[in-house]
Amino acid sequence: MLNINTIGQYIPGNSLIHRLDPRTKLLSLLITIVLVFILDEPLSLGILALGIITLTITSGIKPKMFWQALRPVVIILMLALFLQLFFTPGEKIWAIGPLTITREGVINSGVVFLRLVVMLLAAYLITATTSPNELTHGLEKLLKPFGKFGLPYGEIALMLTIALRFIPTLTAEAERLIKAQEARGADFNAKGLTNKAKAVLPLIVPLFINAFKRADELAVAMEARGYRIGAPRGKLKPLKFNFVDYLIMLINGLIAVLLIIIKLRGGFPA
Amino acid sequence: MPITLNDVSFLYNPGTTLEVKALNRLNVNFKEGEITGIIGPTGSGKSTLLMLLNGLLKPTAGEVTVDNLSTTNKVNLKAIRQKVQLIFQYPEHQLFAETVWEELAFGPKNFGIEITEQKATLLLEQVGLSEQYLHSSPFELSGGEKRRLAIASVLGISPKYLVLDEPAVALDPLGKETIYNLLFSLKKQGVTVIIVSHNMDEVARLCDKILVLDRGNLIAFGDKNQVFLKLLEKNVQGLSLPVYAEVIKLLRERGFNVDPKFSLEETVAEILKVVQNNAKH
């Protein structure tokens, strides 16, 4: 079986973060990502990282689970760290053969590392604590004001819902097909580009055919239930901001403003 | 020694919060040349069991051996997969080649067996498909024909054991009949067949042995009639009985002295016995 505990997997729970309005979470994510790019000091980024890690722990997701989900990106993280560490020109502090480590290199790699960690954890946290449905409803609501300027927010939300809904289905389907073709002796670990391309053919062709068939069936099912693009639609669970949501947005905003002010005034006092 | 399961357990995602126990300490010995039916409610571990048989899954504990080759040992996998062919539910969804012939040749080629045009025609004939399909696209065939093609595409490997998940589900009566006849003729050729099915009448008709699973536990394994007798006494939630067994059960409940039977002929004979007895008095 494919490891189902990957990035983007929703992990049901009942923590404070799970219960927040998805819009609160999306806006907080936006603030975090903007902050990550504005801030360039290890200390302020460190504070941010610490905050996100604390939030992840309070969400009730076991450290083992998020380590498993994030493990695949560790290599990319390490690569970024390595490149920054050795290839930043500046004041030399250490040298092994042709490799030199500079002061600027250490700071830069720290900054890059913290930026990536903050963004990955924040994105992981939001998808892990928000069901795909909530996520798209939140996004739809947030995009609605842009509808005046011609943004097809309803369609965007629908496409997102369908895409998110079918990721696990298609993964399961691919998994099943791999098993079926393996049983027929197919070797998906073939060497060489041509062989590799040939090897995936028995997987890709049926996968596409089935996906198109599914899309057809879905369209028929939706039409049968009276779906029309742009028709006014009710919600099973209308989104509502609570006191906690306002509070959290306020805290987030304050932290962001504070960190930006500190940066504008020349960094943390030494 | 054919396929043997020795104290086999299987867990999905072991050690995480998503851990699911699929099979619990199974000991089974599949005999050669027989048709065995695996039955059990949804989620009882039937599909997991099938994938253990050809090494697509490795047991979390215990050992599965095929002709004394352990599936846990990677070196044996190719040999095991050639011996044990697994056909999943709706195998028609796995077709991909441009022509029927290429589809038939794909599996055997992976095991180093060449399929000539003659051999391909023979394979088609075996599943009751006309040879004129040989050069057409598999996607032009009807649903039932695609299913039979998918099965034929595996027969070219000449498996010793054939494992099928719901081979006749969602086929029309004629399509079902073709599949049943195919399985009977394979049995005659000495192929050991293992099927999973939810259709009790199908199991009653096809199988020699029956294996009952419930939530990962082995409830019963043995000769068809013995297992059905056991199921008559003990109800497993989510499992029905063959329709003939239901008829006999009702007759017994109404006070008629009939023996439990599980086929059309035998049931009719039992009913006739009652009718003739009544006529005498």
Side-chain angles (χ1 to χ4, degrees):
Chain A
M1 275 290 145
L2 210 69
N3 185 7
I4 60 165
N5 179 23
T6 47
I7 284 191
Q9 169 76 27
Y10 171 54
I11 302 163
N14 197 25
S15 70
L16 176 69
I17 300 176
H18 279 91
R19 278 174 288 142
L20 282 180
D21 188 294
R23 283 172 295 173
T24 311
K25 292 188 248 188
L26 282 167
L27 286 174
S28 303
L29 180 69
L30 192 68
I31 293 175
T32 313
I33 288 175
V34 170
L35 265 187
V36 155
F37 281 105
I38 291 179
L39 301 176
D40 50 8
E41 260 188 280
L43 190 56
S44 39
L45 282 168
I47 293 173
L48 217 55
L50 210 66
I52 298 273
I53 290 170
T54 320
L55 280 178
T56 313
I57 290 166
T58 56
S59 71
I61 298 164
K62 293 206 179 71
K64 194 179 168 184
M65 303 267 288
F66 70 76
W67 166 242
Q68 252 185 12
L70 295 178
R71 205 168 34 194
V73 288
V74 165
I75 297 170
I76 300 172
L77 217 60
M78 288 300 158
L79 195 70
L81 211 61
F82 176 83
L83 290 176
Q84 290 291 334
L85 199 57
F86 290 107
F87 296 101
T88 313
E91 184 189 327
K92 227 179 255 180
I93 52 170
W94 190 262
I96 328 160
L99 298 172
T100 52
I101 296 177
T102 61
R103 220 176 92 80
E104 286 77 1
V106 173
I107 295 172
N108 270 356
S109 63
V111 167
V112 167
F113 178 76
L114 286 171
R115 275 182 175 160
L116 286 173
V117 165
V118 168
M119 282 195 290
L120 279 172
L121 268 182
Y124 173 70
L125 188 60
I126 195 168
T127 49
T129 59
T130 322
S131 75
N133 265 336
E134 278 184 313
L135 212 57
T136 43
H137 283 170
L139 201 68
E140 188 178 0
K141 261 286 183 53
L142 283 177
L143 291 179
K144 203 168 177 181
F146 299 103
K148 284 195 205 103
F149 308 113
L151 187 80
Y153 61 92
E155 281 89 319
I156 292 178
L158 176 71
M159 277 183 342
L160 212 69
T161 316
I162 293 175
L164 287 171
R165 159 68 186 75
F166 278 99
I167 288 171
T169 313
L170 287 181
T171 327
E173 175 111 17
E175 185 74 4
R176 219 174 48 87
L177 279 168
I178 288 175
K179 289 221 153 84
Q181 307 295 24
E182 261 180 358
R184 288 167 82 186
D187 182 10
F188 289 109
N189 302 316
K191 298 255 154 42
L193 204 61
T194 344
N195 286 337
K196 267 203 164 67
K198 258 191 208 154
V200 293
L201 211 60
L203 183 62
I204 297 293
V205 174
L207 203 56
F208 267 89
I209 289 173
N210 295 343
F212 279 114
K213 216 189 289 167
R214 273 229 170 78
D216 253 353
E217 285 165 7
L218 184 67
V220 170
M222 283 168 70
E223 269 178 38
R225 290 171 202 187
Y227 182 88
R228 271 181 303 125
I229 285 180
R233 219 170 302 285
K235 288 274 183 294
L236 182 60
K237 286 185 215 151
L239 299 176
K240 226 184 103 212
F241 277 126
N242 287 324
F243 173 67
V244 190
D245 289 296
Y246 287 118
L247 192 69
I248 289 202
M249 301 262 265
L250 187 69
I251 295 174
N252 277 335
L254 281 180
I255 292 174
V257 169
L258 199 70
L259 286 172
I260 291 172
I261 288 177
I262 288 175
K263 178 191 150 81
L264 290 178
R265 304 198 57 179
F268 283 92
Chain B
M1 223 24 173
I3 306 184
T4 312
L5 275 74
N6 208 341
D7 222 11
V8 166
S9 297
F10 189 84
L11 302 171
Y12 284 106
N13 301 304
T16 69
T17 43
L18 302 165
E19 180 177 300
V20 182
K21 190 157 207 171
L23 290 175
N24 190 19
R25 313 198 63 171
L26 254 55
N27 283 297
V28 182
N29 214 330
F30 292 103
K31 249 198 175 158
E32 261 172 75
E34 287 183 335
I35 302 186
T36 306
I38 301 174
I39 60 177
T42 311
S44 55
K46 303 183 296 285
S47 300
T48 309
L49 177 56
L50 293 195
M51 286 191 265
L52 283 167
L53 296 179
N54 76 342
L56 277 175
L57 296 178
K58 315 256 174 313
T60 317
E63 196 182 36
V64 179
T65 58
V66 177
D67 292 338
N68 283 329
L69 298 171
S70 166
T71 62
T72 323
N73 191 344
K74 243 187 156 166
V75 184
N76 294 334
L77 276 187
K78 191 121 195 176
I80 287 173
R81 291 205 181 136
Q82 180 160 13
K83 281 174 194 278
V84 186
Q85 270 303 317
L86 180 51
I87 298 177
F88 284 92
Q89 235 175 72
Y90 300 106
E92 57 269 34
H93 291 171
Q94 75 195 34
L95 301 177
F96 72 96
E98 275 173 52
T99 69
V100 167
W101 186 7
E102 278 173 49
E103 193 69 55
L104 289 169
F106 174 70
K109 204 170 148 202
N110 288 328
F111 291 102
I113 304 166
E114 203 59 45
I115 294 291
T116 57
E117 192 163 348
Q118 232 177 345
K119 179 84 208 246
T121 317
L122 268 171
L123 286 172
L124 284 183
E125 200 179 291
Q126 205 172 357
V127 295
L129 287 177
S130 154
E131 63 175 287
Q132 67 193 32
Y133 286 139
L134 204 56
H135 296 285
S136 47
S137 161
F139 301 105
E140 286 166 17
L141 308 187
S142 76
E145 288 171 333
K146 276 188 206 159
R147 168 106 33 116
R148 281 183 271 157
L149 170 61
I151 294 176
S153 75
V154 149
L155 294 180
I157 306 167
S158 332
K160 197 171 157 197
Y161 307 95
L162 192 63
V163 184
L164 306 103
D165 195 350
E166 291 277 11
V169 75
L171 288 184
D172 61 9
L174 198 67
K176 278 192 208 282
E177 213 51 43
T178 331
I179 301 275
Y180 297 159
N181 288 335
L182 173 67
L183 293 184
F184 279 131
S185 86
L186 286 173
K187 181 188 166 185
K188 239 181 236 159
Q189 292 164 36
V191 178
T192 307
V193 178
I194 298 167
I195 65 165
V196 159
S197 179
H198 279 290
N199 183 338
M200 287 299 159
D201 298 323
E202 182 176 299
V203 173
R205 197 173 138 195
L206 283 175
C207 301
D208 306 301
K209 287 258 174 69
I210 290 177
L211 190 160
V212 189
L213 283 177
D214 188 20
R215 277 160 287 174
N217 294 306
L218 186 74
I219 300 292
F221 178 51
D223 281 337
K224 168 171 66 187
N225 287 351
Q226 281 167 2
V227 171
F228 277 138
L229 278 177
K230 206 167 164 186
L231 286 179
L232 260 180
E233 291 158 18
K234 191 177 151 230
N235 235 343
V236 175
Q237 186 118 48
L239 267 192
S240 60
L241 285 166
V243 65
Y244 308 120
E246 298 280 5
V247 169
I248 296 281
K249 197 174 161 190
L250 263 181
L251 282 172
R252 280 158 79 104
E253 275 168 18
R254 305 228 166 136
F256 293 105
N257 179 24
V258 287
D259 292 328
K261 296 291 178 214
F262 306 99
S263 71
L264 178 62
E265 266 86 51
E266 292 170 307
T267 309
V268 168
E270 284 298 314
I271 294 172
L272 278 179
K273 210 167 77 186
V274 173
V275 173
Q276 280 157 1
N277 246 337
N278 277 1
K280 265 186 229 159
H281 295 298

